[in-house]
Amino acid sequence: MAALRVLELYSGIGGMHQALKESCTSAEVVAAVDVNTLANEVYKHNFPSTPLWAKTIEGITLKEFDGLSFDMILMSPPCQPFTRIGLQGDVSDPRTKSFLYILDILPRNELLQTLETCGFKYQEFLLSPTCLGIPNSRLRYFLIAKLHQEPFSFQAPGQILTRFPDEDLEDLCKDKLTDKVGEASSFSSSEEKNLDPNIGPDCSRKKSLPKGAFLFKLETVEEIKRKHGQDNDSSIQMLKDFLEEENKEMSQYFLPPKSLLRYAFLLDIVNPTCRRSTCFTKGYGHYVEGTGSVLQTAVDVQLESVFKRIEELPEEEKLMKLSTLKLRYFTPREIANLHGFPPEFGFPDKVTIKQCYRLLGNSLNVNVVAKLISILLG
């Protein structure tokens, strides 16, 4: 059987290309398209033989697309117009222009209607890497579609699967489906939500805490229960499996005193034996609050003992206690590991750490996409 010819749109640093390789599919990426100069440099660094079109997608004509004679499209449109923490401009956001253009050159200008009109069978998903045992929350919407007479064996029309269809579909449909995209967009993603800075210490919030738990930060009882639940879920790997060995170069990743003092109560702190981490965004390493977890490298220090009554201490003593935790940012390599990029995937030397964080924050989880590709072609 001839190799599939694949067109990669919004190629970024090549997460979809890498996922295609990980899926063990016999395929050739005939062209990758992205306008981001830096992302294109990383793409060329890792996939030098793939033709790379450094242009906007709306600048490509239908004739040029046809000339590629592709069998499959992989694409990941910008998510910022649709996220809860953005301006939520949806289709009015300029960044959706490229995506709308793709729909406009097809018979209809809405994705699902276009797919149905053209005879595609499709299935929607709302998935996080945790469903594959990866200790990172990165909830994303996915859609797979194929032009085929036979539907997917697990297809649930009009519903969004929130797990891979490896289990009995009847059980999967019972409590893990939502009826439409509108509901999915308003999902209360406790996995990735920011903590409410207006919530202060309150004894009443300590009711019903897990045994031995200590409410040391500005978080709800539900939030800490969820974290304890994840850390006790043996189906998820520990973070230590994704970490680099500690070395002298790690000193550049430690949080500065100013950040420790200002954001101590807003940090999501994890240690190597945790089975969770929050979504890493493109602002990681630059902004502290809500951009991703930080790692406690002092394994012999109890987090609860550091935060207990810390708000009553003078600034100097507070900093001294916080410093004992030896908190640092995850390195770009570690985030790449959590995203499923293999060890051989790298960045050109000229790409800075801050730029690596931005590029990875805009990327996707390779393992999740690889599994979806395998399901699509299975």
Side-chain angles (χ1 to χ4, degrees):
M1 183 178 177
L4 283 174
R5 293 174 61 83
V6 179
L7 171 62
E8 186 179 7
L9 303 179
Y10 307 96
S11 53
I13 60 176
M16 289 177 290
H17 190 143
Q18 189 64 53
L20 189 65
K21 292 178 65 175
E22 295 292 325
S23 71
C24 298
T25 300
S26 177
E28 172 197 4
V29 179
V30 295
V33 184
D34 203 295
V35 73
N36 187 309
T37 303
L38 191 61
N40 286 344
E41 288 295 322
V42 178
Y43 192 104
K44 284 189 289 186
H45 181 77
N46 290 283
F47 309 106
S49 62
T50 300
L52 183 59
W53 295 11
K55 58 196 301 184
T56 59
I57 294 171
E58 58 265 36
I60 304 173
T61 65
L62 183 57
K63 183 178 180 180
E64 288 177 303
F65 277 128
D66 285 341
L68 293 170
S69 300
F70 53 84
D71 304 299
M72 182 167 72
I73 296 177
L74 294 175
M75 61 189 297
S76 178
C79 67
Q80 291 92 337
F82 308 100
T83 55
R84 292 183 312 282
I85 61 174
L87 298 177
Q88 299 181 348
D90 202 70
V91 294
S92 65
D93 190 299
R95 288 170 292 193
T96 64
K97 184 179 178 182
S98 299
F99 181 56
L100 295 177
Y101 174 76
I102 292 296
L103 301 182
D104 284 338
I105 65 172
L106 295 171
R108 305 289 289 271
N109 63 2
E110 289 187 11
L111 179 58
L112 299 183
Q113 290 181 349
T114 298
L115 291 172
E116 290 175 353
T117 301
C118 293
F120 281 85
K121 305 295 183 182
Y122 66 87
Q123 182 60 60
E124 300 168 280
F125 296 84
L126 198 63
L127 300 169
S128 182
T130 52
C131 66
L132 289 179
I134 300 167
N136 180 238
S137 297
R138 195 174 184 82
L139 192 65
R140 295 292 184 272
Y141 169 82
F142 299 93
L143 181 145
I144 57 176
K146 58 182 177 181
L147 190 60
H148 200 284
Q149 296 300 316
E150 295 296 322
F152 296 109
S153 60
F154 55 86
Q155 192 178 32
Q159 298 176 316
I160 300 176
L161 297 179
T162 60
R163 285 181 286 171
F164 287 107
D166 297 333
E167 306 161 66
D168 182 76
L169 185 59
E170 185 177 345
D171 176 65
L172 184 63
C173 290
K174 194 178 299 178
D175 62 351
K176 290 293 182 180
L177 294 173
T178 185
D179 289 330
K180 52 187 180 293
V181 177
E183 290 180 357
S185 66
S186 62
F187 245 60
S188 178
S189 176
S190 60
E191 291 182 307
E192 301 172 15
K193 71 181 181 182
N194 291 329
L195 299 177
D196 186 349
N198 295 316
I199 300 176
D202 184 347
C203 293
S204 63
R205 292 167 59 239
K206 298 184 180 181
K207 293 178 181 178
S208 304
L209 283 174
K211 187 176 180 180
F214 181 81
L215 207 60
F216 59 89
K217 295 184 293 182
L218 303 183
E219 55 190 1
T220 64
V221 170
E222 290 72 22
E223 178 78 359
I224 199 169
K225 278 184 175 181
R226 181 189 60 78
K227 290 180 179 180
H228 276 256
Q230 281 185 301
D231 285 335
N232 291 322
D233 186 351
S234 60
S235 69
I236 300 177
Q237 292 177 265
M238 291 184 179
L239 285 170
K240 65 181 181 180
D241 297 333
F242 300 83
L243 302 179
E244 294 188 86
E245 288 188 14
E246 295 290 332
N247 55 61
K248 292 181 180 179
E249 293 184 1
M250 290 294 183
S251 59
Q252 63 185 309
Y253 297 104
F254 281 89
L255 272 70
K258 184 178 179 180
S259 295
L260 285 176
L261 288 172
R262 184 173 181 180
Y263 298 105
F265 287 87
L266 296 174
L267 295 172
D268 182 71
I269 302 171
V270 294
N271 62 58
T273 60
C274 284
R275 301 178 189 271
R276 61 177 180 82
S277 59
T278 56
C279 181
F280 295 102
T281 74
K282 67 177 185 178
Y284 191 68
H286 181 62
Y287 298 107
V288 178
E289 183 184 353
T291 60
S293 301
V294 295
L295 186 69
Q296 176 188 337
T297 60
V299 295
D300 57 340
V301 179
Q302 291 295 316
L303 193 61
E304 291 82 0
S305 64
V306 171
F307 276 88
K308 191 173 184 179
R309 298 185 179 281
I310 194 171
E311 67 275 7
E312 301 171 6
L313 299 176
E315 193 172 277
E316 188 175 336
E317 289 183 44
K318 186 184 297 183
L319 180 59
M320 190 177 300
K321 290 198 74 173
L322 291 170
S323 297
T324 63
L325 293 170
K326 296 183 180 178
L327 300 178
R328 70 165 174 83
Y329 292 107
F330 283 75
T331 69
R333 179 65 258 172
E334 291 167 341
I335 296 176
N337 292 342
L338 286 165
H339 282 0
F341 287 97
E344 62 269 22
F345 185 94
F347 294 86
D349 292 337
K350 67 178 183 180
V351 180
T352 66
I353 292 174
K354 182 179 178 181
Q355 289 171 331
C356 285
Y357 284 141
R358 288 185 64 84
L359 292 168
L360 286 166
N362 284 330
S363 189
L364 43 74
N365 188 280
V366 170
N367 300 121
V368 172
V369 177
K371 176 127 182 150
L372 288 170
I373 292 174
S374 297
I375 292 172
L376 173 65
L377 301 175

